[in-house]
Amino acid sequence: MEGIRLAQLAVVLWLAILAVGQNESREEGPTTAVYIVTLNQSPTSVHHYGDLKSDTNVLRNKAAGKRGGFQKPKNNSRRGETPGSYIARVHDSLLRRALRGEKYLKLYSYHYLVNGFAVFVTPQQADKLSTRKEVANVVLDYSVRTATTHTPQFLGLPQGAWAKQGGYQSAGEGIVIGFIDTGIDPTHPSFDDGNASEHSYPVPSHFSGVCEVTRDFPSGSCNRKLVGARHFAASAITRGIFNSTQDYASPFDGDGHGTHTASVAAGNHGIPVVVSGHHFGHASGMAPRAHVAVYKALYKSFGGFAADVVAAIDQAAQDGVDIISLSITPNRRPPGIATFFNPIDMALLSAVKAGIFVVQAAGNTGPSPKSMSSFSPWIFTVGAASHDRVYSNSITLGNNVTVHGVGLAPGTEEGTMYTLVSALHALNNGTTVTSDMYVGECQDSSSFNEEIVQGNLLICSYSIRFVLGLSTIKQALETAQNLSAAGVVFCMDPFVIGFQLNPIPMSIPGIVIPTSDDSKILLQYYNSSVERENGAGKIVKFGATASIMGGLKANYSNSAPKVMFYSARGPDPEDSSLNDADILKPNLVAPGNSIWAAWSSLGTDSVEFQGEQFAIMSGTSMAAPHIAGLAALIKQKYPAFSPSAIASALSTTASLTDKNGGAIMAQRAYSNPDVNQSPATPFDMGSGFVNATAALDPGLIFDTSYQDYMSFICGINGSGPVVMNFTGENCWMYNSTITAADLNLPSITIAKLDQARTVVRSVSNVGGGNESYAVGWSAPYGVAVKVSPTHFTIGSNEKQVLTVSLTATMNSSVSSYGRIGLFGDQGHVINIPLAVIGKTSYNTTTTAAAP
């Protein structure tokens, strides 16, 4: 790790030298930036995995959990030198020859999944590099961003998936999940390796990662649970935006997001969740015995950059992780001929080639169509849904009206009504709204008259400043306590629109009324009850009263799951012109709303949870690690499953109904989302809501190989040079007539159905015995569907080809949906969603739209 620290010091010194040289001519001088450069020569993983079969099957002829032996390139390195250090020397030599005598700074040498490097140069220097025959591609770096106590029960793990794996005590053991996120707090009990445990818990032999040792991440931070930890920030440092005090130049999580996501997937079982002195149950990850490896590439103050993320992916693959979880998405849609051709997605394609299952958050840019931020078919994209636990709070007014709100707070004394006092009516003589326009947000107790507030419920304003972090509920609660208030009521400012509040911990009775309409009801009652001298003068009596029920007790609803309004939606945009791809995104949805999970002791992402060990968060960032953990359970049971086989098991077994048997609903608007909802389509929820137990016994599998993915991207018009740039492979080696619809995916999506189309799917029986299947389907509106055969019997490890014919029966540009179901006589049910967007029939004079 000394080398990493020296490299960072070199970055700082180099930037200082560069700044001195450019200080007097900054306006005229060239603008330096980070570029990702890939070379034509193969990366070392080609040699590492050279013994794998060229066709990636569901079941490989290799020992469970073992990776191929590392094969060093012959006759090209010094004795005892690793392939990585050899390739780094090659990169250094190329830079010296291409940029003779010029200043530059190499940030990373990528060598495992990608042969290339990240370098800090001017555009003119980047042009020089691009002309070198050794160079395949030069891409400007870009930014990226970050996109439980009850969900194991909601997903049926204790009696289902965990029980099938021998209980939570062994669920996920032997599987390493790599998290590319904001780091981890190694002191959290969710990542303790249980030194007192009698059960053996060895670090998997196929994993070779290490732990950085820094002041923030001292020796001993890693253990048999947390088996690896590194950080990547060179691209950020070169930009001069890295704040070592806030962001930590180590794997330590100064944000909280990474600790949260890691514990959702693989946190220890039965960890008490105590926040603000209140107990909210016990937490567990989806695979509580899985191992955690952390690759920190995102930071609180600025997010992250692709160059650092690619370096993290490359290192995770080299270390031997089984699963990569990314709760991050790009800040913009990748430019170029297809969204798939970006450095992160192409590095992940190489990871999939190496047998690593890749999970990514869909993004929090919903609910509009084409808002998807995860694009490629080799990436398993996860949207966010609710689960059935909610924390509800309410306040009952003196006029017997009850207003609902949120807040993880105790209630006021039962049977007692307390006087309501607005903060604006409790100012001391030295404070006015004119002198402090934000005084109503209750951020400074010195602004108020304690005699007026004492023993009463203080009404504070919740404005956009709370959303931006300029004002905090924690500070308002401190104000209320200093004034001896009985509790706090936050009324929503009418300018705060479409903002969903997570339940917020409060140490005293309190409630946040999350809508401006409900806030008006309370304020109208309050204002009508205030008595003034002569009707308009000084207030002589506060007549409004109320009691707060409290929100510490969870309620359980039958209407879950539902797709959350913020969850990004399909269709999958194929390019920057928003043409639709023949790929279903998201792949499915998982719990992502109001998720309790571990929090960093110094995490600052949520002010309200600072200093707490747990936090409740919402987003597709929380949904993705649910799938990463469940994938670990599948990988544990089926160690020879390919990444696409794991994806198929999760997809084909997904649930199509909520827990009450009704249709899964999707929220359609930011404001009043529970009112603006309708049944979810495949572009909202993919194959459906994850069914953890069924995924462990999928029956049939749709398998897709690396060669299939390469044939697909080679079939994109004009892609040959781009594919060569990213992979070093010629498209003439592949069948470039394959389109996305021809990939052997567990779904069928047709962006433009011109009269008729036939697609083929192949299934493999992994159910362990012979099984007979009946085939049924419901056709998308405006499309005739035929599937052949309609019945088949398939033996263990055998394959069956299905031919699906789709014919447009009308002209329409409106998406319509259907499904194919395979019903086995041993109880297996395979769900294949159909989505058809544009339809052109033989009769071009007939037009119609789907209802």
Side-chain angles (χ1 to χ4, degrees):
M1 293 308 99
E2 184 65 26
I4 292 177
R5 289 195 293 273
L6 290 174
Q8 291 173 339
L9 178 61
V11 169
V12 175
L13 292 174
W14 188 89
L15 287 173
I17 294 170
L18 184 65
V20 171
Q22 293 185 344
N23 187 50
E24 296 181 358
S25 58
R26 185 174 300 274
E27 293 185 4
E28 295 81 10
T31 302
T32 50
V34 177
Y35 290 84
I36 301 172
V37 181
T38 52
L39 305 185
N40 291 314
Q41 186 180 4
S42 300
T44 57
S45 63
V46 171
H47 304 277
H48 188 138
Y49 290 94
D51 60 340
L52 291 181
K53 295 172 65 177
S54 61
D55 183 19
T56 305
N57 296 315
V58 178
L59 301 176
R60 299 192 184 94
N61 296 319
K62 300 190 66 168
K66 301 292 184 182
R67 296 187 183 270
F70 190 86
Q71 304 289 330
K72 287 196 293 185
K74 296 180 180 179
N75 301 322
N76 63 358
S77 63
R78 297 171 179 171
R79 181 171 299 177
E81 185 178 32
T82 66
S85 59
Y86 166 74
I87 290 180
R89 287 197 303 108
V90 171
H91 297 165
D92 293 336
S93 175
L94 169 61
L95 284 165
R96 285 193 299 269
R97 286 182 281 112
L99 306 175
R100 294 181 183 275
E102 299 180 22
K103 291 186 176 69
Y104 63 87
L105 179 64
K106 188 188 74 172
L107 309 181
Y108 297 109
S109 275
Y110 309 128
H111 66 87
Y112 195 74
L113 297 177
V114 178
N115 182 5
F117 51 86
V119 63
F120 193 58
V121 292
T122 66
Q124 291 77 9
Q125 290 173 314
D127 289 341
K128 287 182 181 179
L129 288 170
S130 67
T131 62
R132 300 288 301 193
K133 64 180 181 180
E134 306 96 320
V135 173
N137 197 29
V138 178
V139 177
L140 182 66
D141 193 15
Y142 57 91
S143 61
V144 296
R145 60 189 172 194
T146 56
T148 72
T149 58
H150 177 64
T151 49
Q153 285 73 26
F154 183 62
L155 294 172
L157 297 182
Q159 293 77 38
W162 285 350
K164 291 178 179 292
Q165 301 294 87
Y168 71 83
Q169 298 91 337
S170 58
E173 188 165 328
I175 306 301
V176 181
I177 306 176
F179 297 90
I180 298 174
D181 213 297
T182 64
I184 197 167
D185 182 350
T187 67
H188 200 283
S190 290
F191 310 113
D192 182 68
D193 64 357
N195 290 321
S197 173
E198 297 179 359
H199 183 63
S200 176
Y201 192 30
V203 176
S205 59
H206 65 264
F207 183 75
S208 61
V210 301
C211 269
E212 291 182 18
V213 176
T214 69
R215 182 189 306 173
D216 308 314
F217 213 82
S219 177
S221 294
C222 287
N223 52 37
R224 293 172 297 172
K225 176 74 172 183
L226 176 57
V227 294
R230 301 172 185 255
H231 87 289
F232 303 84
S235 183
I237 292 172
T238 61
R239 291 170 162 81
I241 61 174
F242 188 87
N243 183 335
S244 60
T245 302
Q246 181 177 358
D247 295 315
Y248 299 98
S250 76
F252 186 83
D253 183 9
D255 180 280
H257 188 274
T259 300
H260 196 279
T261 56
S263 70
V264 168
N268 287 330
H269 180 269
I271 308 301
V273 178
V274 179
V275 175
S276 292
H278 309 304
H279 192 278
F280 294 98
H282 292 79
S284 175
M286 301 300 101
R289 204 66 174 172
H291 305 269
V292 172
V294 170
Y295 303 86
K296 178 179 173 181
L298 285 96
Y299 299 83
K300 167 63 180 174
S301 61
F302 57 85
F305 296 94
D308 295 326
V309 172
V310 171
I313 295 169
D314 194 65
Q315 188 63 59
Q318 182 180 353
D319 289 348
V321 302
D322 299 288
I323 296 164
I324 289 178
S325 179
L326 300 100
S327 288
I328 61 175
T329 56
N331 278 325
R332 59 181 175 85
R333 188 169 287 111
I337 62 173
T339 53
F340 323 117
F341 295 124
N342 66 81
I344 292 177
D345 282 34
M346 295 308 292
L348 292 173
L349 175 59
S350 294
V352 168
K353 180 183 181 182
I356 300 170
F357 180 68
V358 177
V359 187
Q360 185 177 25
N364 299 330
T365 49
S368 60
K370 302 186 186 184
S371 53
M372 185 58 52
S373 297
S374 176
F375 314 106
S376 298
W378 50 88
I379 299 172
F380 198 81
T381 304
V382 187
S386 65
H387 54 93
D388 64 345
R389 183 196 60 204
V390 295
Y391 291 96
S392 58
N393 199 344
S394 65
I395 182 170
T396 300
L397 307 179
N399 60 359
N400 291 322
V401 173
T402 297
V403 178
H404 296 281
V406 298
L408 300 172
T412 52
E413 185 177 342
E414 188 174 355
T416 302
M417 300 296 285
Y418 293 82
T419 300
L420 288 165
V421 175
S422 170
L424 298 179
H425 294 157
L427 303 179
N428 61 31
N429 292 332
T431 304
T432 64
V433 176
T434 303
S435 62
D436 184 357
M437 63 184 298
Y438 304 115
V439 69
E441 297 173 7
C442 306
Q443 299 297 292
D444 185 357
S445 58
S446 66
S447 300
F448 302 98
N449 186 332
E450 183 176 355
E451 292 182 3
I452 298 177
V453 176
Q454 186 174 13
N456 298 324
L457 296 177
L458 180 64
I459 301 175
C460 304
S461 174
Y462 190 101
S463 76
I464 192 67
R465 289 168 53 84
F466 284 81
V467 180
L468 300 175
L470 302 175
S471 295
T472 69
I473 286 180
K474 182 173 286 189
Q475 186 60 44
L477 294 174
E478 184 177 319
T479 295
Q481 288 178 304
N482 290 339
L483 298 173
S484 302
V488 186
V489 180
F490 294 91
C491 288
M492 188 65 62
D493 188 290
F495 293 103
V496 181
I497 301 173
F499 178 70
Q500 185 182 42
L501 285 167
N502 282 318
I504 297 166
M506 302 183 192
S507 56
I508 63 174
I511 186 172
V512 182
I513 301 173
T515 69
S516 58
D517 289 342
D518 285 343
S519 296
K520 286 179 183 177
I521 293 173
L522 184 146
L523 293 175
Q524 286 173 354
Y525 162 67
Y526 170 80
N527 289 325
S528 67
S529 302
V530 170
E531 296 182 16
R532 297 177 179 271
E533 285 184 350
N534 302 320
K538 179 182 177 181
I539 295 176
V540 295
K541 182 180 179 182
F542 295 99
T545 59
S547 64
I548 298 174
M549 182 188 76
L552 297 177
K553 186 177 180 180
N555 298 313
Y556 297 89
S557 164
N558 287 329
S559 61
K562 65 178 65 174
V563 182
M564 301 307 298
F565 68 88
Y566 52 77
S567 186
R569 313 296 168 90
D572 184 16
E574 186 177 53
D575 52 38
S576 55
S577 299
L578 294 182
N579 291 312
D580 300 318
D582 291 340
I583 298 167
L584 182 62
K585 294 289 180 180
N587 292 85
L588 51 62
V589 293
N593 200 62
S594 296
I595 305 298
W596 278 116
W599 197 247
S600 174
S601 57
L602 298 178
T604 58
D605 186 47
S606 176
V607 174
E608 314 306 340
F609 290 97
Q610 281 187 1
E612 302 287 357
Q613 278 204 319
F614 285 87
I616 192 167
M617 304 293 287
S618 297
T620 57
S621 283
M622 285 68 245
H626 276 86
I627 298 303
L630 297 178
L633 302 183
I634 299 173
K635 184 71 173 177
Q636 182 184 21
K637 182 176 180 180
Y638 302 99
F641 264 22
S642 68
S644 63
I646 297 174
S648 175
L650 289 162
S651 299
T652 62
T653 59
S655 300
L656 300 176
T657 58
D658 65 20
K659 63 176 292 186
N660 202 36
I664 294 176
M665 304 298 283
Q667 297 176 337
R668 303 292 179 192
Y670 282 94
S671 58
N672 299 317
D674 285 331
V675 176
N676 297 291
Q677 60 182 21
S678 60
T681 74
F683 290 146
D684 301 316
M685 65 175 183
S687 292
F689 182 80
V690 64
N691 184 330
T693 302
L696 287 175
D697 185 19
L700 302 177
I701 286 296
F702 295 76
D703 199 31
T704 308
S705 69
Y706 170 78
Q707 286 73 22
D708 295 331
Y709 294 131
M710 286 294 293
S711 295
F712 152 62
I713 59 177
C714 283
I716 298 173
N717 189 34
S719 66
V722 183
V723 173
M724 171 62 78
N725 289 345
F726 277 113
T727 68
E729 298 185 43
N730 279 304
C731 277
W732 61 262
M733 300 169 56
Y734 297 95
N735 175 14
S736 58
T737 62
I738 291 180
T739 69
D742 297 315
L743 288 171
N744 197 43
L745 303 176
S747 60
I748 297 174
T749 302
I750 307 293
K752 297 177 181 178
L753 180 58
D754 187 3
Q755 299 182 0
R757 177 76 182 270
T758 298
V759 296
V760 174
R761 293 292 185 266
S762 175
V763 294
S764 301
N765 183 3
V766 296
N770 296 347
E771 190 164 5
S772 296
Y773 283 86
V775 182
W777 61 87
S778 61
Y781 184 76
V783 179
V785 175
K786 182 179 180 181
V787 184
S788 178
T790 56
H791 296 81
F792 62 90
T793 299
I794 184 170
S796 180
N797 295 324
E798 290 183 351
K799 293 186 177 183
Q800 173 68 48
V801 173
L802 300 173
T803 302
V804 182
S805 300
L806 303 98
T807 304
T809 60
M810 62 170 57
N811 298 322
S812 174
S813 60
V814 179
S815 300
S816 55
Y817 314 97
R819 293 193 180 272
I820 298 173
L822 310 181
F823 305 93
D825 61 3
Q826 302 300 311
H828 294 112
V829 177
I830 313 302
N831 163 48
I832 309 166
L834 304 176
V836 181
I837 305 174
K839 295 167 279 286
T840 304
S841 69
Y842 288 99
N843 182 3
T844 57
T845 61
T846 302
T847 58

